[in-house]
mmCIF file of all heavy atoms in Angstrom:
data_model
loop_
_atom_site.group_PDB
_atom_site.id
_atom_site.type_symbol
_atom_site.label_atom_id
_atom_site.label_comp_id
_atom_site.label_asym_id
_atom_site.label_seq_id
_atom_site.Cartn_x
_atom_site.Cartn_y
_atom_site.Cartn_z
ATOM 1 N N GLN A 1 -36.178 68.768 3.049
ATOM 2 C CA GLN A 1 -36.248 67.325 3.642
ATOM 3 C C GLN A 1 -35.329 66.428 2.989
ATOM 4 O O GLN A 1 -34.852 65.458 3.627
ATOM 5 C CB GLN A 1 -37.675 66.884 3.605
ATOM 6 C CG GLN A 1 -38.613 67.620 4.544
ATOM 7 C CD GLN A 1 -38.438 67.342 6.016
ATOM 8 O OE1 GLN A 1 -37.770 66.338 6.399
ATOM 9 N NE2 GLN A 1 -38.798 68.274 6.872
ATOM 10 N N LEU A 2 -35.129 66.577 1.672
ATOM 11 C CA LEU A 2 -34.336 65.619 0.900
ATOM 12 C C LEU A 2 -32.820 66.055 0.750
ATOM 13 O O LEU A 2 -32.066 65.367 0.017
ATOM 14 C CB LEU A 2 -34.895 65.441 -0.476
ATOM 15 C CG LEU A 2 -36.311 64.754 -0.482
ATOM 16 C CD1 LEU A 2 -36.948 64.909 -1.880
ATOM 17 C CD2 LEU A 2 -36.247 63.264 -0.176
ATOM 18 N N ARG A 3 -32.395 67.160 1.432
ATOM 19 C CA ARG A 3 -31.074 67.737 1.163
ATOM 20 C C ARG A 3 -29.975 66.721 1.511
ATOM 21 O O ARG A 3 -28.847 66.896 0.945
ATOM 22 C CB ARG A 3 -30.942 69.017 1.936
ATOM 23 C CG ARG A 3 -30.952 68.852 3.449
ATOM 24 C CD ARG A 3 -30.828 70.291 4.035
ATOM 25 N NE ARG A 3 -30.720 70.205 5.497
ATOM 26 C CZ ARG A 3 -31.826 70.151 6.339
ATOM 27 N NH1 ARG A 3 -32.982 70.199 5.801
ATOM 28 N NH2 ARG A 3 -31.617 70.051 7.642
ATOM 29 N N ASP A 4 -30.164 65.767 2.498
ATOM 30 C CA ASP A 4 -29.176 64.889 2.803
ATOM 31 C C ASP A 4 -29.288 63.475 2.169
ATOM 32 O O ASP A 4 -28.705 62.545 2.569
ATOM 33 C CB ASP A 4 -29.110 64.662 4.369
ATOM 34 C CG ASP A 4 -28.801 66.022 5.088
ATOM 35 O OD1 ASP A 4 -27.925 66.727 4.567
ATOM 36 O OD2 ASP A 4 -29.372 66.185 6.209
ATOM 37 N N THR A 5 -30.026 63.475 1.057
ATOM 38 C CA THR A 5 -30.186 62.182 0.330
ATOM 39 C C THR A 5 -29.622 62.375 -1.051
ATOM 40 O O THR A 5 -29.261 63.464 -1.490
ATOM 41 C CB THR A 5 -31.698 61.817 0.261
ATOM 42 O OG1 THR A 5 -32.385 62.640 -0.673
ATOM 43 C CG2 THR A 5 -32.478 61.993 1.591
ATOM 44 N N GLY A 6 -29.721 61.296 -1.856
ATOM 45 C CA GLY A 6 -29.314 61.319 -3.225
ATOM 46 C C GLY A 6 -30.130 62.142 -4.145
ATOM 47 O O GLY A 6 -29.904 62.431 -5.288
ATOM 48 N N LEU A 7 -31.335 62.580 -3.627
ATOM 49 C CA LEU A 7 -32.317 63.341 -4.423
ATOM 50 C C LEU A 7 -32.225 64.806 -4.143
ATOM 51 O O LEU A 7 -33.017 65.599 -4.467
ATOM 52 C CB LEU A 7 -33.754 62.879 -4.098
ATOM 53 C CG LEU A 7 -34.062 61.426 -4.444
ATOM 54 C CD1 LEU A 7 -35.582 61.174 -4.196
ATOM 55 C CD2 LEU A 7 -33.701 61.104 -5.895
ATOM 56 N N ALA A 8 -31.122 65.266 -3.487
ATOM 57 C CA ALA A 8 -30.885 66.613 -3.101
ATOM 58 C C ALA A 8 -31.055 67.606 -4.279
ATOM 59 O O ALA A 8 -31.576 68.669 -4.142
ATOM 60 C CB ALA A 8 -29.522 66.846 -2.393
ATOM 61 N N GLY A 9 -30.506 67.169 -5.446
ATOM 62 C CA GLY A 9 -30.579 68.071 -6.567
ATOM 63 C C GLY A 9 -31.545 67.530 -7.606
ATOM 64 O O GLY A 9 -31.510 68.026 -8.860
ATOM 65 N N ALA A 10 -32.517 66.783 -7.257
ATOM 66 C CA ALA A 10 -33.533 66.279 -8.134
ATOM 67 C C ALA A 10 -34.425 67.326 -8.698
ATOM 68 O O ALA A 10 -34.804 68.274 -7.978
ATOM 69 C CB ALA A 10 -34.409 65.130 -7.523
ATOM 70 N N PRO A 11 -34.814 67.301 -9.981
ATOM 71 C CA PRO A 11 -35.720 68.283 -10.513
ATOM 72 C C PRO A 11 -37.149 68.118 -9.922
ATOM 73 O O PRO A 11 -37.460 66.971 -9.366
ATOM 74 C CB PRO A 11 -35.808 67.994 -12.038
ATOM 75 C CG PRO A 11 -35.379 66.571 -12.110
ATOM 76 C CD PRO A 11 -34.359 66.304 -10.977
ATOM 77 N N ALA A 12 -37.930 69.116 -9.869
ATOM 78 C CA ALA A 12 -39.273 69.131 -9.330
ATOM 79 C C ALA A 12 -40.273 69.511 -10.335
ATOM 80 O O ALA A 12 -40.056 70.423 -11.148
ATOM 81 C CB ALA A 12 -39.386 69.958 -8.064
ATOM 82 N N VAL A 13 -41.387 68.813 -10.377
ATOM 83 C CA VAL A 13 -42.445 69.082 -11.357
ATOM 84 C C VAL A 13 -43.797 69.037 -10.638
ATOM 85 O O VAL A 13 -44.009 68.172 -9.790
ATOM 86 C CB VAL A 13 -42.535 68.000 -12.531
ATOM 87 C CG1 VAL A 13 -43.648 68.437 -13.523
ATOM 88 C CG2 VAL A 13 -41.210 68.032 -13.240
ATOM 89 N N ALA A 14 -44.613 70.058 -10.834
ATOM 90 C CA ALA A 14 -45.981 70.091 -10.310
ATOM 91 C C ALA A 14 -46.975 69.547 -11.293
ATOM 92 O O ALA A 14 -46.928 69.985 -12.482
ATOM 93 C CB ALA A 14 -46.398 71.458 -9.862
ATOM 94 N N VAL A 15 -47.883 68.656 -10.904
ATOM 95 C CA VAL A 15 -48.783 68.034 -11.838
ATOM 96 C C VAL A 15 -50.224 67.991 -11.136
ATOM 97 O O VAL A 15 -50.380 68.096 -9.926
ATOM 98 C CB VAL A 15 -48.398 66.655 -12.228
ATOM 99 C CG1 VAL A 15 -47.011 66.653 -12.794
ATOM 100 C CG2 VAL A 15 -48.458 65.688 -11.020
ATOM 101 N N SER A 16 -51.157 67.762 -11.952
ATOM 102 C CA SER A 16 -52.533 67.437 -11.666
ATOM 103 C C SER A 16 -52.962 66.276 -12.481
ATOM 104 O O SER A 16 -53.100 66.354 -13.657
ATOM 105 C CB SER A 16 -53.490 68.586 -11.831
ATOM 106 O OG SER A 16 -54.792 68.159 -11.664
ATOM 107 N N ALA A 17 -53.240 65.107 -11.866
ATOM 108 C CA ALA A 17 -53.721 63.967 -12.595
ATOM 109 C C ALA A 17 -55.096 64.092 -13.074
ATOM 110 O O ALA A 17 -55.598 63.470 -13.990
ATOM 111 C CB ALA A 17 -53.577 62.635 -11.702
ATOM 112 N N VAL A 18 -55.861 65.115 -12.437
ATOM 113 C CA VAL A 18 -57.240 65.347 -12.749
ATOM 114 C C VAL A 18 -57.334 66.117 -14.030
ATOM 115 O O VAL A 18 -58.052 65.811 -15.016
ATOM 116 C CB VAL A 18 -58.002 65.969 -11.588
ATOM 117 C CG1 VAL A 18 -59.380 66.393 -12.032
ATOM 118 C CG2 VAL A 18 -58.063 65.058 -10.371
ATOM 119 N N THR A 19 -56.539 67.247 -14.155
ATOM 120 C CA THR A 19 -56.650 68.096 -15.299
ATOM 121 C C THR A 19 -55.618 67.761 -16.339
ATOM 122 O O THR A 19 -55.698 68.235 -17.490
ATOM 123 C CB THR A 19 -56.373 69.669 -14.835
ATOM 124 O OG1 THR A 19 -54.977 69.710 -14.388
ATOM 125 C CG2 THR A 19 -57.306 69.995 -13.712
ATOM 126 N N GLY A 20 -54.536 66.989 -15.912
ATOM 127 C CA GLY A 20 -53.563 66.647 -16.879
ATOM 128 C C GLY A 20 -52.435 67.673 -16.923
ATOM 129 O O GLY A 20 -51.431 67.400 -17.572
ATOM 130 N N ALA A 21 -52.561 68.762 -16.139
ATOM 131 C CA ALA A 21 -51.537 69.725 -16.083
ATOM 132 C C ALA A 21 -50.182 69.248 -15.566
ATOM 133 O O ALA A 21 -50.225 68.558 -14.595
ATOM 134 C CB ALA A 21 -51.983 70.954 -15.261
ATOM 135 N N GLY A 22 -49.128 69.569 -16.325
ATOM 136 C CA GLY A 22 -47.765 69.184 -15.867
ATOM 137 C C GLY A 22 -47.397 67.722 -16.239
ATOM 138 O O GLY A 22 -46.160 67.391 -16.016
ATOM 139 N N LEU A 23 -48.289 66.899 -16.694
ATOM 140 C CA LEU A 23 -47.947 65.500 -16.994
ATOM 141 C C LEU A 23 -46.905 65.445 -18.202
ATOM 142 O O LEU A 23 -45.943 64.607 -18.193
ATOM 143 C CB LEU A 23 -49.158 64.707 -17.384
ATOM 144 C CG LEU A 23 -50.098 64.448 -16.194
ATOM 145 C CD1 LEU A 23 -51.330 63.610 -16.694
ATOM 146 C CD2 LEU A 23 -49.372 63.719 -15.104
ATOM 147 N N ASP A 24 -47.115 66.311 -19.269
ATOM 148 C CA ASP A 24 -46.121 66.222 -20.279
ATOM 149 C C ASP A 24 -44.766 66.747 -19.877
ATOM 150 O O ASP A 24 -43.731 66.197 -20.276
ATOM 151 C CB ASP A 24 -46.639 67.161 -21.467
ATOM 152 C CG ASP A 24 -47.722 66.541 -22.278
ATOM 153 O OD1 ASP A 24 -47.845 65.225 -22.111
ATOM 154 O OD2 ASP A 24 -48.420 67.139 -22.986
ATOM 155 N N GLU A 25 -44.802 67.789 -18.972
ATOM 156 C CA GLU A 25 -43.428 68.251 -18.447
ATOM 157 C C GLU A 25 -42.807 67.119 -17.643
ATOM 158 O O GLU A 25 -41.614 66.907 -17.693
ATOM 159 C CB GLU A 25 -43.656 69.469 -17.532
ATOM 160 C CG GLU A 25 -42.401 70.066 -16.993
ATOM 161 C CD GLU A 25 -42.658 71.144 -16.016
ATOM 162 O OE1 GLU A 25 -43.762 71.560 -15.879
ATOM 163 O OE2 GLU A 25 -41.644 71.616 -15.404
ATOM 164 N N LEU A 26 -43.661 66.405 -16.880
ATOM 165 C CA LEU A 26 -43.071 65.254 -16.029
ATOM 166 C C LEU A 26 -42.517 64.242 -17.009
ATOM 167 O O LEU A 26 -41.452 63.641 -16.605
ATOM 168 C CB LEU A 26 -44.167 64.687 -15.176
ATOM 169 C CG LEU A 26 -43.715 63.500 -14.337
ATOM 170 C CD1 LEU A 26 -42.537 63.821 -13.442
ATOM 171 C CD2 LEU A 26 -44.890 62.949 -13.525
ATOM 172 N N ARG A 27 -43.197 63.924 -18.017
ATOM 173 C CA ARG A 27 -42.695 62.884 -18.939
ATOM 174 C C ARG A 27 -41.211 63.339 -19.506
ATOM 175 O O ARG A 27 -40.382 62.489 -19.646
ATOM 176 C CB ARG A 27 -43.643 62.645 -20.098
ATOM 177 C CG ARG A 27 -44.927 61.954 -19.612
ATOM 178 C CD ARG A 27 -45.834 61.645 -20.841
ATOM 179 N NE ARG A 27 -47.005 60.989 -20.489
ATOM 180 C CZ ARG A 27 -48.241 61.607 -20.322
ATOM 181 N NH1 ARG A 27 -48.342 62.937 -20.544
ATOM 182 N NH2 ARG A 27 -49.282 60.945 -19.897
ATOM 183 N N HIS A 28 -41.173 64.536 -19.929
ATOM 184 C CA HIS A 28 -39.911 65.057 -20.449
ATOM 185 C C HIS A 28 -38.848 65.144 -19.388
ATOM 186 O O HIS A 28 -37.675 64.811 -19.612
ATOM 187 C CB HIS A 28 -40.049 66.427 -21.113
ATOM 188 C CG HIS A 28 -40.714 66.418 -22.467
ATOM 189 N ND1 HIS A 28 -42.058 66.510 -22.659
ATOM 190 C CD2 HIS A 28 -40.173 66.219 -23.674
ATOM 191 C CE1 HIS A 28 -42.348 66.456 -23.864
ATOM 192 N NE2 HIS A 28 -41.257 66.261 -24.598
ATOM 193 N N THR A 29 -39.239 65.416 -18.216
ATOM 194 C CA THR A 29 -38.294 65.533 -17.014
ATOM 195 C C THR A 29 -37.749 64.163 -16.724
ATOM 196 O O THR A 29 -36.543 63.931 -16.473
ATOM 197 C CB THR A 29 -38.891 66.117 -15.852
ATOM 198 O OG1 THR A 29 -39.322 67.455 -16.194
ATOM 199 C CG2 THR A 29 -37.908 66.253 -14.658
ATOM 200 N N LEU A 30 -38.669 63.091 -16.725
ATOM 201 C CA LEU A 30 -38.225 61.759 -16.549
ATOM 202 C C LEU A 30 -37.210 61.396 -17.617
ATOM 203 O O LEU A 30 -36.303 60.602 -17.393
ATOM 204 C CB LEU A 30 -39.477 60.875 -16.556
ATOM 205 C CG LEU A 30 -40.324 60.865 -15.252
ATOM 206 C CD1 LEU A 30 -41.643 60.001 -15.564
ATOM 207 C CD2 LEU A 30 -39.552 60.273 -14.075
ATOM 208 N N ASP A 31 -37.508 61.718 -18.824
ATOM 209 C CA ASP A 31 -36.615 61.433 -19.908
ATOM 210 C C ASP A 31 -35.189 61.919 -19.652
ATOM 211 O O ASP A 31 -34.152 61.201 -19.786
ATOM 212 C CB ASP A 31 -37.101 61.991 -21.230
ATOM 213 C CG ASP A 31 -37.285 60.989 -22.296
ATOM 214 O OD1 ASP A 31 -36.662 59.878 -22.217
ATOM 215 O OD2 ASP A 31 -37.933 61.266 -23.363
ATOM 216 N N GLU A 32 -35.145 63.230 -19.180
ATOM 217 C CA GLU A 32 -33.865 63.815 -18.900
ATOM 218 C C GLU A 32 -33.177 63.112 -17.781
ATOM 219 O O GLU A 32 -31.921 62.939 -17.710
ATOM 220 C CB GLU A 32 -34.127 65.297 -18.658
ATOM 221 C CG GLU A 32 -34.590 66.141 -19.815
ATOM 222 C CD GLU A 32 -34.974 67.570 -19.396
ATOM 223 O OE1 GLU A 32 -34.943 67.919 -18.140
ATOM 224 O OE2 GLU A 32 -35.396 68.379 -20.341
ATOM 225 N N VAL A 33 -33.843 62.763 -16.706
ATOM 226 C CA VAL A 33 -33.297 62.091 -15.612
ATOM 227 C C VAL A 33 -32.787 60.720 -15.974
ATOM 228 O O VAL A 33 -31.640 60.317 -15.609
ATOM 229 C CB VAL A 33 -34.259 62.031 -14.451
ATOM 230 C CG1 VAL A 33 -33.742 61.044 -13.336
ATOM 231 C CG2 VAL A 33 -34.600 63.391 -13.822
ATOM 232 N N LEU A 34 -33.551 59.934 -16.685
ATOM 233 C CA LEU A 34 -33.186 58.576 -17.180
ATOM 234 C C LEU A 34 -31.940 58.662 -18.009
ATOM 235 O O LEU A 34 -31.215 57.660 -18.069
ATOM 236 C CB LEU A 34 -34.324 58.023 -17.844
ATOM 237 C CG LEU A 34 -35.535 57.671 -17.023
ATOM 238 C CD1 LEU A 34 -36.714 57.075 -17.801
ATOM 239 C CD2 LEU A 34 -35.172 56.737 -15.823
ATOM 240 N N ALA A 35 -31.758 59.736 -18.800
ATOM 241 C CA ALA A 35 -30.505 59.832 -19.670
ATOM 242 C C ALA A 35 -29.268 59.899 -18.831
ATOM 243 O O ALA A 35 -28.190 59.555 -19.370
ATOM 244 C CB ALA A 35 -30.662 61.064 -20.489
ATOM 245 N N THR A 36 -29.394 60.275 -17.559
ATOM 246 C CA THR A 36 -28.179 60.366 -16.692
ATOM 247 C C THR A 36 -27.897 59.078 -15.878
ATOM 248 O O THR A 36 -26.897 59.030 -15.226
ATOM 249 C CB THR A 36 -28.396 61.541 -15.697
ATOM 250 O OG1 THR A 36 -29.325 61.254 -14.738
ATOM 251 C CG2 THR A 36 -28.650 62.827 -16.373
ATOM 252 N N VAL A 37 -28.880 58.133 -15.926
ATOM 253 C CA VAL A 37 -28.663 56.881 -15.120
ATOM 254 C C VAL A 37 -27.663 56.043 -15.788
ATOM 255 O O VAL A 37 -27.670 55.794 -17.039
ATOM 256 C CB VAL A 37 -30.067 56.159 -15.056
ATOM 257 C CG1 VAL A 37 -29.803 54.765 -14.321
ATOM 258 C CG2 VAL A 37 -31.067 56.963 -14.356
ATOM 259 N N PRO A 38 -26.630 55.538 -15.098
ATOM 260 C CA PRO A 38 -25.578 54.614 -15.727
ATOM 261 C C PRO A 38 -26.211 53.414 -16.338
ATOM 262 O O PRO A 38 -27.150 52.934 -15.860
ATOM 263 C CB PRO A 38 -24.721 54.267 -14.468
ATOM 264 C CG PRO A 38 -24.893 55.423 -13.534
ATOM 265 C CD PRO A 38 -26.351 55.814 -13.617
ATOM 266 N N ALA A 39 -25.609 53.073 -17.477
ATOM 267 C CA ALA A 39 -26.084 51.883 -18.151
ATOM 268 C C ALA A 39 -25.925 50.630 -17.262
ATOM 269 O O ALA A 39 -24.869 50.485 -16.573
ATOM 270 C CB ALA A 39 -25.383 51.677 -19.452
ATOM 271 N N PRO A 40 -26.876 49.693 -17.290
ATOM 272 C CA PRO A 40 -26.712 48.522 -16.468
ATOM 273 C C PRO A 40 -25.653 47.564 -17.034
ATOM 274 O O PRO A 40 -25.281 47.737 -18.240
ATOM 275 C CB PRO A 40 -28.134 47.915 -16.496
ATOM 276 C CG PRO A 40 -28.683 48.354 -17.848
ATOM 277 C CD PRO A 40 -28.190 49.780 -17.991
ATOM 278 N N VAL A 41 -25.233 46.624 -16.175
ATOM 279 C CA VAL A 41 -24.182 45.618 -16.604
ATOM 280 C C VAL A 41 -24.898 44.626 -17.386
ATOM 281 O O VAL A 41 -25.726 43.847 -16.806
ATOM 282 C CB VAL A 41 -23.416 45.084 -15.415
ATOM 283 C CG1 VAL A 41 -22.395 44.059 -15.873
ATOM 284 C CG2 VAL A 41 -22.801 46.169 -14.653
#
């Protein structure tokens, strides 16, 4: 569904807010994504 958007190559993470599964992976993935964001002016 996202193939024609800017998120075509975005990483994917599965999580459960109830059990906490995947939340640490999501935090690290967000870190990696944010490292690629251009610095603001």
Side-chain angles (χ1 to χ4, degrees):
Q1 291 289 339
L2 294 167
R3 66 182 182 274
D4 294 326
T5 75
L7 299 184
V13 179
V15 303
S16 169
V18 174
T19 67
L23 291 180
D24 284 342
E25 181 185 354
L26 176 57
R27 291 185 179 100
H28 282 93
T29 301
L30 285 172
D31 234 345
E32 293 171 358
V33 168
L34 295 176
T36 68
V37 176
V41 180

